[in-house]
Amino acid sequence: MAPIRIAIVGVGKIARDQHLPAIAANPAYELVATVSRHDPELSVPWFADLDELLASGVAVDAVALCTPPQVRYGLAVKALQHKIHVFLEKPPGATLAEVESLRTIADEAGVTLFASWHSRYAAGVEPAKAWLAARTIRDVKIIWREDVRVWHPGQAWIWQAGGLGVFDPGINALSIATHILPRPFFLTEATLEVPSNCQAPIAADLRFTDSAGTPIHMDLDFRQTGPQSWDIIVETDGGTLKLAKGGSVLTLPEGVREDEDREYPELYARFAALVAEGQSDVDIAPLRHVADAFLRGHMRAVEPFIE
């Protein structure tokens, strides 16, 4: 098959760090254009907005939308209506209804829509899921603490409505938990700490349970200094499972497994397979949990955030 002619829309940190290398390393793709507010100075045509690209005559089969989530819906609609396959960086949209609408539009257009959850492709996630499937789960702790100044410098959109705040990384933990835990779970209580000069939380404490009454506690904080924590710890009748470093390191009673980072290469392999099969993959479970937290959570004002 001919390579998928793909354009990246939004050439920021995540595109440069992950999307561009993954595309370059996969022969299933050919990068044919970029869309960004500023010329990214790459060896392909650059356009200031998606309309310019669509009117240019450059042949495009797919786009990867790496913009902030607040503007992603309109861009995705334009692409889908032009019969262009769409790869959505996480979170797939600013609201659940937006993503449901995009799924309908993609189905009607007969093209692929992929809501990507890169953390599900971390090396330890699938082995963790398989190990937990044969065990009784007694307790789950999710600790996702990082320094926003290090990982999201200058990203003002993350503090605006629809930017999710600390749930921008926290949704990665939820994407793993919804994949590896054998039963669906639901929110019972939440406290969200929102700086007085922001519209999104800087920290959150959430408690979930499932149909078996399993306690699940989630601790999110953007103010972490020193060692960063991206850990999921599951107590079972067969011992303790720990996923660390965002899912790349798996510790089981029988030992530790750590493999190289393959998240984005695996995402792009999945996207190519979906395009070839004429299928979509749009799981909204992680985003639904975030929406529930905003709906049910107690908002507590804290001191202003100054980057």
Side-chain angles (χ1 to χ4, degrees):
M1 294 180 61
I4 298 168
R5 297 166 295 188
I6 192 167
I8 290 184
V9 181
V11 187
K13 187 177 188 303
I14 192 66
R16 291 186 180 277
D17 290 352
Q18 300 291 352
H19 290 260
L20 287 169
I23 290 169
N26 192 327
Y29 295 94
E30 177 190 359
L31 182 67
V32 296
T34 60
V35 176
S36 192
R37 289 180 297 174
H38 307 289
D39 187 350
E41 299 181 351
L42 299 170
S43 58
V44 294
W46 161 68
F47 300 91
D49 59 49
L50 183 58
D51 288 331
E52 283 189 13
L53 169 59
L54 296 175
S56 70
V58 173
V60 177
D61 302 311
V63 293
L65 299 185
C66 305
T67 64
Q70 295 97 322
V71 300
R72 209 169 286 157
Y73 176 79
L75 296 169
V77 169
K78 287 180 182 179
L80 293 170
Q81 290 176 339
H82 281 76
K83 307 290 186 180
I84 293 172
H85 308 292
V86 173
F87 179 119
L88 297 168
E89 177 55 78
K90 67 84 190 170
T95 70
L96 292 167
E98 282 184 1
V99 184
E100 291 286 8
S101 174
L102 291 178
R103 176 159 39 193
T104 299
I105 295 169
D107 290 345
E108 292 173 348
V111 293
T112 293
L113 179 67
F114 181 35
S116 69
W117 299 108
H118 65 84
S119 291
R120 285 184 176 174
Y121 294 82
V125 171
E126 284 301 328
K129 180 179 181 179
W131 192 85
L132 290 173
R135 287 162 177 84
T136 300
I137 297 174
R138 294 173 174 164
D139 182 80
V140 181
K141 290 182 175 60
I142 302 170
I143 305 165
W144 230 253
R145 289 174 158 253
E146 64 181 52
D147 189 341
V148 67
R149 297 171 180 86
V150 173
W151 298 100
H152 302 273
Q155 295 183 2
W157 60 266
I158 209 168
W159 300 112
Q160 299 166 1
L164 301 190
V166 75
F167 285 102
D168 182 75
I171 204 169
N172 292 332
L174 288 167
S175 75
I176 296 174
T178 54
H179 188 66
I180 67 172
L181 297 179
R183 289 180 296 273
F185 54 90
F186 56 91
L187 186 73
T188 58
E189 58 181 289
T191 299
L192 280 57
E193 297 186 6
V194 183
S196 58
N197 60 341
C198 298
Q199 296 175 288
I202 198 168
D205 187 270
L206 306 101
R207 296 185 184 275
F208 303 87
T209 191
D210 62 16
S211 59
T214 307
I216 302 168
H217 179 222
M218 187 174 196
D219 172 17
L220 305 177
D221 205 317
F222 251 163
R223 300 164 297 194
Q224 181 79 350
T225 58
Q228 311 284 280
S229 301
W230 301 286
D231 304 328
I232 298 177
I233 303 162
V234 185
E235 302 292 345
T236 79
D237 61 343
T240 301
L241 174 150
K242 180 177 181 180
L243 277 170
K245 296 184 179 180
S248 63
V249 180
L250 173 62
T251 301
L252 297 172
E254 54 265 33
V256 179
R257 170 176 173 175
E258 181 172 6
D259 294 311
E260 64 178 2
D261 177 14
R262 293 285 301 167
E263 293 180 19
Y264 278 83
E266 293 292 339
L267 280 179
Y268 273 95
R270 173 65 172 159
F271 186 45
L274 290 169
V275 170
E277 297 163 4
Q279 301 294 321
S280 289
D281 182 351
V282 188
D283 179 11
I284 60 172
L287 186 58
R288 183 185 297 116
H289 285 300
V290 175
D292 285 353
F294 278 90
L295 181 65
R296 185 166 184 174
H298 168 67
M299 302 292 179
R300 186 163 72 88
V302 296
E303 63 184 21
F305 170 74
I306 301 174
E307 188 169 0

